[in-house]
Amino acid sequence: MTSSSRRTRAPGGLNRRHFALALPSALLAAGCAAPYRGTGRPGDPIVLTLLSHYASGELKEALQGPVDEWNATHDRVKVRTKAVEFTDLLTTFMVRQAAGQGADILHPYCLWNGQLVQAGVLRPAPSEHAEEIRRGYGGAAVGAASVGGKVYGYPTEVQTYALYYNKRLLREAGLAGPPRTWRELEETAYRTARRDRYGNTLVQGFGLSTYDDSTTVGQTLALLNAAGGRFVSANGRSTAIDSPAGRAVFDLEHRLVAKGASAPGVNVYKAFASGQVAMVVSAGWWTVDLKGLMGKGYRDVGVAPVPVPAAGDKRATLSTGFMLGVNADSEHPREAWEFLRWLNTEKVAAKNAGKGAPATRMSALQVSVGALTGRADDMRTLLGGGGDPNLRPFLDALAYAVPEPNVPGAQQAKSLLRKNIEALWTGQQSVDEALRTTRRQVDQEVSRSW
């Protein structure tokens, strides 16, 4: 799978998959045809529709495999997949729902869950399914799939954030390993950064980048969580970033830019792969891309936990993800939940695990395309001891990651945060101004009536 296609589905790259405010006319014409639903009588099975963004390539094939298995072994209930590009997914959910043509099973980005619940699109999981989800998945995955304390679906792909670093660049700077604290992170960034005699950046010590959400909002929130802070308050009605932890993160990033260790205008995806960035915080999906881009050079890539402000601080980072839930208007919710239980909790002999060790179909699906799920037991089974050691920190982070806040205004709040982070990095705002403006704008967004 190409780098661009991987990032098309990764939740960190939302600027390239920016939520479209108006659905393309072709999609309205072709994508909203009422799905066929059978009666369930003999010879006329129930047909459930599953709408996702797994529209092409390996992702489409990976999902179709277990769907075909289900259809081959179940006579009364069949599943038919439909897909749109990620850029159209949220709009498609909302438009089809308003038209009474929503799919039975939905695969949303968890950031949108609050908005979808508020709009009456998602159905709460029945108690037996909610209990199974809480029991089988890590806290971050369950939190992302929940709104107001209610579970709304089975977590699928989960991405945690960690520190990527270039071993060669650190070694050349006389450093034995990756930083563990923010003081060490700054020292490492300044020692590895290089500029030519004209002041042009040759190597970023720490890869701040305005290229996409993954390296602006995602990276900043991972550092904020590591400092014990939060973007949105516990009640979801205000931002919590204008806090000592938020100020510490903005101060850190401002210093890195001001002292020349970071160059936000650089495309960090290309620059890291070509050895022009010493460190960057990003999500686990990137490992697959880097292997393809770097070839033998990938041996220089290491991954470590996100550094914490001081030695002994409790670890924390960011997690993002998707889930599969059932439409509130589905005529066959019981059958839909049963399919999701089969896909996400039933253990089978996984082909890509040693000796066919048992794992769920969804976990095997995600690992086949280079992702993780929130089922740590499955991930240890599937990744085993012989896999890429760079995936281990992302797996370990499932135990302490903090999910993105998914209040009704979360998507717009994230966009506003990104705008102010970039204004800070590019010198348009001071730390005080960036914190104050973020608080005012985000408070207005998340507190308004939806």
Side-chain angles (χ1 to χ4, degrees):
M1 184 175 296
T2 65
S3 173
S4 60
S5 65
R6 285 286 304 167
R7 286 196 293 272
T8 294
R9 84 176 171 85
L14 282 176
N15 70 311
R16 293 188 299 281
R17 310 171 307 183
H18 188 68
F19 160 58
L21 296 178
L23 204 60
S25 58
L27 183 57
L28 282 169
C32 289
Y36 168 77
R37 292 185 175 91
T39 64
R41 291 193 298 266
D44 188 11
I46 293 169
V47 178
L48 303 173
T49 54
L50 188 164
L51 178 60
S52 76
H53 60 293
Y54 287 6
S56 61
E58 290 183 23
L59 289 169
K60 181 178 181 180
E61 294 174 8
L63 177 60
Q64 196 60 47
V67 169
D68 288 344
E69 180 189 352
W70 168 276
N71 288 336
T73 55
H74 292 77
D75 294 329
R76 180 173 168 270
V77 179
K78 304 294 184 182
V79 177
R80 181 173 61 182
T81 60
K82 288 181 173 290
V84 297
E85 295 297 332
F86 186 90
T87 47
D88 297 320
L89 188 60
L90 178 56
T91 311
T92 305
F93 290 155
M94 302 298 284
V95 170
R96 287 188 173 182
Q97 197 75 6
Q101 299 170 346
D104 297 283
I105 300 170
L106 307 175
H107 193 196
Y109 176 29
C110 289
L111 183 75
W112 306 333
N113 283 348
Q115 180 176 344
L116 293 172
V117 169
Q118 189 82 11
V121 177
L122 289 173
R123 178 187 298 266
S127 58
E128 63 272 23
H129 291 272
E131 291 170 9
E132 198 160 21
I133 291 165
R134 291 191 181 101
R135 184 172 58 247
Y137 294 83
V142 175
S146 302
V147 176
K150 293 183 179 180
V151 177
Y152 281 85
Y154 283 90
T156 58
E157 175 188 350
V158 174
Q159 296 290 347
T160 57
Y161 279 63
L163 181 79
Y164 287 87
Y165 63 98
N166 186 304
K167 300 175 185 177
R168 176 182 57 81
L169 292 176
L170 267 62
R171 188 168 57 248
E172 290 174 354
L175 297 160
R180 293 163 294 182
T181 66
W182 286 10
R183 181 175 180 178
E184 293 176 357
L185 185 151
E186 280 198 76
E187 179 185 0
T188 301
Y190 300 143
R191 288 177 61 173
T192 53
R194 296 207 315 268
R195 291 176 178 266
D196 65 19
R197 60 177 179 169
Y198 303 106
N200 299 311
T201 300
L202 299 176
V203 174
Q204 283 195 78
F206 189 77
L208 299 178
S209 177
T210 59
Y211 187 70
D212 74 350
D213 284 356
S214 186
T215 51
T216 49
V217 176
Q219 183 163 247
T220 299
L221 291 186
L223 290 168
L224 179 67
N225 292 339
R230 294 294 182 270
F231 176 34
V232 176
S233 62
N235 65 9
R237 306 300 289 177
S238 64
T239 181
I241 199 167
D242 190 3
S243 63
R247 180 173 295 276
V249 175
F250 277 29
D251 277 336
L252 171 65
E253 295 180 344
H254 181 262
R255 287 195 302 272
L256 290 168
V257 175
K259 294 183 179 182
S262 300
V266 173
N267 179 344
V268 73
Y269 292 113
K270 293 181 178 179
F272 186 88
S274 60
Q276 296 173 306
V277 175
M279 300 178 293
V280 64
V281 172
S282 195
W285 62 264
W286 200 20
T287 56
V288 173
D289 278 16
L290 289 172
K291 288 179 184 178
L293 289 169
M294 298 180 70
K296 293 181 179 179
Y298 181 73
R299 62 191 172 201
D300 289 330
V301 176
V303 178
V306 174
V308 292
D313 285 352
K314 185 178 179 181
R315 283 182 180 172
T317 188
L318 175 71
S319 71
T320 62
F322 290 80
M323 72 161 209
L324 281 165
V326 176
N327 195 320
D329 291 342
S330 174
E331 296 176 8
H332 306 289
R334 186 174 64 84
E335 290 81 1
W337 284 114
E338 178 56 26
F339 168 73
L340 293 184
R341 187 207 62 77
W342 175 89
L343 179 65
N344 292 279
T345 70
E346 186 174 301
K347 301 273 187 170
V348 295
K351 295 178 181 178
N352 47 342
K355 299 182 180 179
T360 64
R361 293 174 177 87
M362 178 53 67
S363 290
L365 185 165
Q366 293 298 335
V367 167
S368 74
V369 295
L372 303 178
T373 69
R375 301 186 68 100
D377 56 342
D378 278 357
M379 292 302 98
R380 293 189 180 93
T381 295
L382 292 165
L383 297 176
D388 184 351
N390 282 340
L391 290 176
R392 185 62 50 180
F394 300 105
L395 172 57
D396 293 343
L398 290 172
Y400 59 79
V402 178
E404 285 182 293
N406 59 8
V407 295
Q411 178 65 76
Q412 181 62 14
K414 186 173 183 178
S415 298
L416 291 169
L417 176 58
R418 178 181 176 184
K419 179 180 178 182
N420 286 291
I421 292 170
E422 291 180 351
L424 171 68
W425 290 356
T426 55
Q428 299 173 56
Q429 290 183 355
S430 66
V431 169
D432 284 339
E433 290 169 336
L435 288 170
R436 187 167 56 247
T437 304
T438 300
R439 183 184 67 217
R440 175 176 52 81
Q441 292 178 344
V442 174
D443 280 359
Q444 182 178 6
E445 184 63 31
V446 299
S447 64
R448 70 187 179 93
S449 177
W450 281 81

